[in-house]
Amino acid sequence: MMTRSTALRLAWTTPLWLLALACTGVATDSGSDSYGPEPTGNMCDPDTPEATCGDEQSCELWEGNGAYYCMCPEGTEQVGRECYGEGEDNLKPTCSTLEEDACDDEGFCYDLTQEACDYMTDRDIPTPSECDVIEPSGENDTIGICVSSTQDPSANPYAPDAGYCEFTQQWSNPTHLPVDCRCGQPFEVSECKRPYGLDASISFGDGPRWRSISTFELFGADLDGREMIVAGSWESSTLDDQGVVFAVDLDTGDRRVVSGSFQDPSLGTYTEGSGPDFVNAYNVRLGADGDYYVVGATGQAGAPYIWRVDPDSGDRELIWQGRSDGAFAPCANGVPESEVGTKEINYDPMSWTMDDAGYHYFGVLAGAPGPGVVRVSPDGESCDYLTRIVQDPDSTFDDVGDGYSDIQFYFSALEIVDDTMYALSDRQVYTIEMDTGRRRLFSDAESGTVGSGTSSLGKTWLTWDPHHDVLWSYGNPSSDNILVAIDPDTGDRTNAPCWHPYQGMLEGCAGNSVGIGGVMSMGGMVVDPQAPHDLFNAFDDLSVIQTDQATLNINIHSL
């Protein structure tokens, strides 16, 4: 008897678009002039039949519409370019319906001549583990099958009456998202379009909408249970440096204002929570104590503020401010007292993170003493250095931490994982030991000397994915949509379409994922704690998009 694993191995040789064609029911009416003969062959040129016909086929005239089609020899059955005769070793693709299977309103294809699910055959990579966990189905319960790639058939833009999409992943690599946007042809499907280009009447999820403020910008994000908390800033003709924290439901896409000011199109500006107003809101973190911590500044290079926010009431408390005339601890830059100029560092408010003990960390933006990371105490009453490289010969400071010191740019995009901090410096990623400040070059996209792969990196954020042990680099002030996966063991880098959560970096990847066009900008990202651990990105400054990592399918989630 054929085992399920054998059937999966036998599913590899025939292109999956043939299986999909066999199951869609398109072009099977021999009495219609709009289709070819039954079963339909490809249209062909009798002078060059080899261009479109299979090895066993000939190019013949069909009287139904006077066109030439690839035909199989008499006594065989035809599906696309393949001819199928009798015998167990030459079975044509078979369709199963809902009544024979346990899927809701969906049929599926299986083929005894296939070695495995045809997963991205154009990338020449092994069969993914997803095929191994699909339950046996159909009349023969020893046959493993791959189900359709859309969860909701009513939202499927690839139904026969909508036009067939020749895309290998549609049947072979199913996505759990409502709509399959990977083909590149879903022109009328809103989930697959650029959010900025959609009509204002189209929305996903309920609640206040970011697009109601034309100047709105989305920044850093964190995760709190089933909500993505995200910081944002905006301004109007009469208001500057407005900040707000939103919560976005990962299941429904619904939005709510947690704290800060927002402008309703009909009612005007309102504020959630009491306490000192945000001065912009560039990043937000969920503290170990359950409160939210928000960083803002007057401009993205200004001295930062840190607020503690009650997640229930939205009330704000200012717990630290850089250059605050003695109200909070200053972070010294080592400039001698005899020299003119400020004695505090130039903070980078965009490069901030915090640890479980409540300490806050900022990258030194530029100037004295040199590249470093400062650490502010939870009560805001002291400031020291986690790591420091002194480049000013007149500085009163010494280095803090040893290791790699030839760093041209400052540390940014700080992310703490256990006892290690990851920090970006232009196109290089460093690790900093949290107990010693020791530095190591972890991945070098500039020269390629440490880690291999893409020479691009996101410029704004680093985010650790604890479910698949990968470090994401993403976000860019420009219009580039850069999302790079970095291997924590090797430092190897690959663009998101070429990284798979179960197989890692894909060899020979050509980026067979269309995704959503638009601007990632500087929006934050979270990883869904529930399997299959999708990515949720703030996108286009007015939406959140959802990425099914295993299939590279992307849908608009909240708009």
Side-chain angles (χ1 to χ4, degrees):
M1 177 179 289
M2 181 182 296
T3 65
R4 179 167 169 267
S5 60
T6 301
L8 287 172
R9 288 196 303 273
L10 288 175
W12 183 250
T13 54
T14 302
L16 255 290
W17 66 269
L18 294 181
L19 299 185
L21 182 62
C23 296
T24 57
V26 298
T28 58
D29 182 4
S30 59
S32 170
D33 290 345
S34 61
Y35 298 123
E38 180 182 359
T40 304
N42 295 323
M43 294 187 67
C44 56
D45 183 341
D47 295 329
T48 57
E50 67 278 359
T52 52
C53 297
D55 293 338
E56 302 178 53
Q57 295 177 330
S58 59
C59 184
E60 300 179 17
L61 177 69
W62 184 56
E63 295 181 356
N65 60 6
Y68 284 86
Y69 289 87
C70 299
M71 301 285 194
C72 285
E74 185 176 353
T76 63
E77 295 188 63
Q78 177 171 323
V79 177
R81 291 172 57 91
E82 301 296 324
C83 303
Y84 294 91
E86 297 181 355
E88 209 170 299
D89 294 333
N90 193 20
L91 295 178
K92 69 175 182 177
T94 307
C95 291
S96 176
T97 64
L98 169 65
E99 288 72 21
E100 298 167 334
D101 185 55
C103 300
D104 292 336
D105 301 325
E106 291 186 86
F108 58 82
C109 289
Y110 62 86
D111 182 358
L112 295 180
T113 66
Q114 300 291 292
E115 290 185 356
C117 296
D118 185 10
Y119 179 76
M120 297 188 232
T121 53
D122 54 337
R123 299 188 187 183
D124 193 24
I125 63 174
T127 307
S129 59
E130 293 90 281
C131 286
D132 294 334
V133 300
I134 293 175
E135 292 295 327
S137 187
E139 294 181 358
N140 186 338
D141 61 7
T142 65
I143 298 176
I145 56 91
C146 290
V147 298
S148 170
S149 61
T150 53
Q151 181 186 47
D152 179 6
S154 66
N156 182 4
Y158 313 120
D161 57 357
Y164 176 62
C165 168
E166 293 185 0
F167 185 67
T168 59
Q169 295 187 41
Q170 182 187 349
W171 287 82
S172 61
N173 191 20
T175 177
H176 65 276
L177 299 186
V179 172
D180 194 331
C181 297
R182 294 172 291 172
C183 172
Q185 296 183 7
F187 302 118
E188 301 304 321
V189 183
S190 296
E191 288 90 341
C192 304
K193 293 183 177 181
R194 178 181 176 183
Y196 185 85
L198 290 174
D199 187 90
S201 63
I202 298 174
S203 63
F204 296 91
D206 295 327
R209 305 180 68 188
W210 301 301
R211 72 179 306 157
S212 66
I213 302 177
S214 61
T215 60
F216 201 89
E217 293 182 271
L218 285 166
F219 291 101
D222 204 355
L223 185 68
D224 185 7
R226 298 300 299 158
E227 286 187 317
M228 174 184 185
I229 50 174
V230 58
S233 296
W234 62 278
E235 62 182 13
S236 69
S237 59
T238 58
L239 298 170
D240 296 325
D241 301 323
Q242 300 298 296
V244 63
V245 173
F246 266 83
V248 184
D249 191 294
L250 297 186
D251 299 312
T252 65
D254 291 348
R255 300 165 299 278
R256 63 183 179 90
V257 174
V258 176
S259 183
S261 62
F262 195 70
Q263 193 173 75
D264 182 89
S266 300
L267 303 176
T269 302
Y270 65 94
T271 300
E272 290 288 346
S274 60
D277 292 336
F278 291 136
V279 183
N280 292 309
Y282 293 142
N283 206 347
V284 58
R285 293 277 186 175
L286 171 64
D289 57 4
D291 288 335
Y292 297 163
Y293 290 82
V294 179
V295 165
T298 305
Q300 295 174 17
Y305 300 75
I306 304 176
W307 296 267
R308 179 168 45 233
V309 177
D310 185 304
D312 297 321
S313 66
D315 292 346
R316 297 168 298 280
E317 176 190 0
L318 183 64
I319 63 172
W320 186 81
Q321 179 184 352
R323 301 192 188 139
S324 58
D325 299 326
F328 298 99
C331 297
N333 61 11
V335 172
E337 291 295 330
S338 59
E339 291 190 12
V340 177
T342 179
K343 304 301 184 288
E344 288 192 50
I345 68 164
N346 290 319
Y347 306 92
D348 179 15
M350 298 294 296
S351 297
W352 162 80
T353 192
M354 63 183 300
D355 62 23
D356 290 341
Y359 284 86
H360 303 270
Y361 300 84
F362 289 94
V364 177
L365 183 59
V373 176
V374 295
R375 174 172 46 203
V376 177
S377 63
D379 58 13
E381 294 184 1
S382 66
C383 180
D384 62 357
Y385 279 80
L386 171 66
T387 196
R388 180 173 65 207
I389 303 170
V390 178
Q391 297 177 337
D392 182 0
D394 297 325
S395 176
T396 61
F397 283 160
D398 296 321
D399 286 354
V400 173
D402 57 8
Y404 199 99
S405 297
D406 188 16
I407 298 174
Q408 180 179 0
F409 301 96
Y410 63 94
F411 292 117
S412 64
L414 310 181
E415 176 79 341
I416 299 173
V417 182
D418 298 326
D419 58 357
T420 299
M421 174 181 287
Y422 292 90
L424 184 70
S425 183
D426 194 44
R427 288 189 294 142
Q428 296 175 321
V429 181
Y430 293 86
T431 59
I432 302 170
E433 294 178 7
M434 295 296 291
D435 55 348
T436 66
R438 180 176 176 81
R439 302 167 299 274
R440 181 176 71 92
L441 180 56
F442 163 66
S443 187
D444 185 0
E446 183 176 359
S447 65
T449 56
V450 180
S452 62
T454 179
S455 60
S456 298
L457 285 177
K459 295 291 188 181
T460 312
W461 313 112
L462 294 172
T463 293
W464 176 251
D465 181 345
H467 309 287
H468 302 110
D469 294 333
V470 67
L471 183 70
W472 293 104
S473 164
Y474 62 98
N476 203 316
S478 73
S479 60
D480 296 333
N481 294 326
I482 298 175
L483 181 61
V484 176
I486 307 174
D487 188 292
D489 296 321
T490 64
D492 291 347
R493 305 164 302 277
T494 187
N495 291 323
C498 301
W499 184 84
H500 190 275
Y502 309 117
Q503 299 182 76
M505 297 186 181
L506 308 181
E507 298 295 332
C509 172
N512 193 18
S513 172
V514 176
I516 295 178
V519 180
M520 182 173 291
S521 189
M522 302 172 80
M525 181 183 78
V526 298
V527 184
D528 193 338
Q530 291 186 6
H533 309 298
D534 291 346
L535 306 181
F536 288 83
N537 280 85
F539 193 84
D540 245 356
D541 283 328
L542 48 73
S543 70
V544 169
I545 60 173
Q546 180 178 1
T547 301
D548 177 357
Q549 293 190 70
T551 67
L552 312 181
N553 185 28
I554 301 174
N555 281 191
I556 299 176
H557 178 70
S558 186
L559 173 62

